Amino acid sequence: MNQTVEQLLSHYSVRAFLDKPLSDDQIRLLVESAQAASTSNFVQAYSIIGVSDPKIRRELARISGGMSYVEKTGQLFVFVADLNRNKQIAESKKENPASLETTEKMLVAIIDAALAAQNMAVAAEAMGLGICYIGAIRNDIERVSALLNIPEHAIPLFGLTIGYPEQNSAPKPRMPYQLVYHENEYQAKETALYEAYDTTISDYYTNRTGGVRNETWTDQIAEGMKKPVRMDMKAFIEKQKLGLK
Ligand SMILES: Cc1cc2nc3c(=O)[nH]c(=O)nc-3n(C[C@H](O)[C@H](O)[C@H](O)COP(=O)(O)O)c2cc1C
C-alpha cells in the first residue's frame, strides 16, 4: 500500500507525551505543512497560536477538564478562524469589508482552519510524532480568548497537542465505508450495517478497557445528542461579530 495512505489508516490520537519540547525547526515545518493546505479563494483565513508558556498551558489544561496532555506535550497549537487579518487588509486599502460578518465568510474561515490543522496532524505523524485535537478548550471560550488575546472577527476553534508519544496505541475502527459513502445522491442505509459496527465498537471498548466500557457506537451517539453543551458559543460568535448576516 502507498506509504501516505498507510499512515492515514494507522492514525490514532495520543494522550500521553514525553516532557520534551519540539524544536523551532519542527514547529516551523509543522506550521508550513499546515499552510500548504488548500484554502478557499486563497484567503488563508486562520491563525495558529503556539502555546509554550507553562502558565497558559496549565490554564488551558484546566479549562479542558484537566487533560494532562494539553500541558505535558511537545507543543500545543491553537487554531483560530481568523477574519481579523482580512478586515485589517481591506481597511488599509480603504475598502468596506461588507462580507466580513456573513455566515459564509465565517464558514470559509472555519473550514480553512480545520484543513490546515489536519495537514499539520498528518505532517506530525509522518515525523514520528503523536497528536490529539483538543476541542475541550471551548469549555470556556471567553477565558481562552482572553488568555490568548483573540481579537474581534476571530474564533479559537480547538487545540492540537503534538509531541513524542509516551505510549503506542492502535487505530479505532471507523464506520464501514458504505455508511459514509453515498453514490450520486443521499441514500438511506441498512440498519444491519449499524448493527455490525456496534458490535465492532462494543468489542473494541471491551478489549481496551477490560470490560469497564462496552457501549455501542449508536449508544454513544444517542447519548451525545441528548444534552446541549457549550451553549455560550452562539453569543460568543455574535460578540466576535462573525456569522451575523
Ligand atoms: C475537533 C476535534 C476535537 C477533539 N477534542 C478532543 C478533546 O478535547 N480531548 C480528547 O482527548 N480528544 C479530542 N478529540 C479526539 C477524538 O476524541 C478522536 O479523534 C476520536 O475519538 C477518534 O479517535 P482517534 O483519533 O484515536 O482515531 C478531538 C477530535 C477532534 C477532531
Side-chain angles (χ1 to χ4, degrees), residues 173-234:
R174 298 304 202 245
M175 279 187 264
Y177 87 95
Q178 299 96 321
L179 279 175
V180 171
Y181 182 67
H182 302 242
E183 187 100 22
N184 295 320
E185 60 175 356
Y186 196 95
Q187 293 152 337
K189 298 294 181 182
E190 288 167 37
T191 321
L193 283 171
Y194 286 107
E195 286 167 359
Y197 186 51
D198 271 346
T199 306
T200 305
I201 289 298
S202 180
D203 291 350
Y204 167 84
Y205 284 133
T206 304
N207 290 334
R208 273 186 69 95
T209 66
V212 175
R213 286 180 69 178
N214 69 349
E215 71 265 32
T216 67
W217 185 74
T218 55
D219 282 344
Q220 206 174 311
I221 296 305
E223 183 65 27
M225 296 299 288
K226 273 193 340 206
K227 190 165 150 258
V229 294
R230 300 177 190 150
M231 293 300 286
D232 54 340
M233 282 306 301
K234 189 168 189 289

Side-chain angles (χ1 to χ4, degrees), residues 11-13 15 67 69 132-138 158 170-172 174 230:
H11 158 78
Y12 53 81
S13 294
R15 296 187 173 85
M67 292 174 184
Y69 42 100
C132 189
Y133 283 92
I134 310 291
I137 64 162
R138 296 196 306 278
F158 48 77
K172 204 178 200 178
R174 298 304 202 245
R230 300 177 190 150

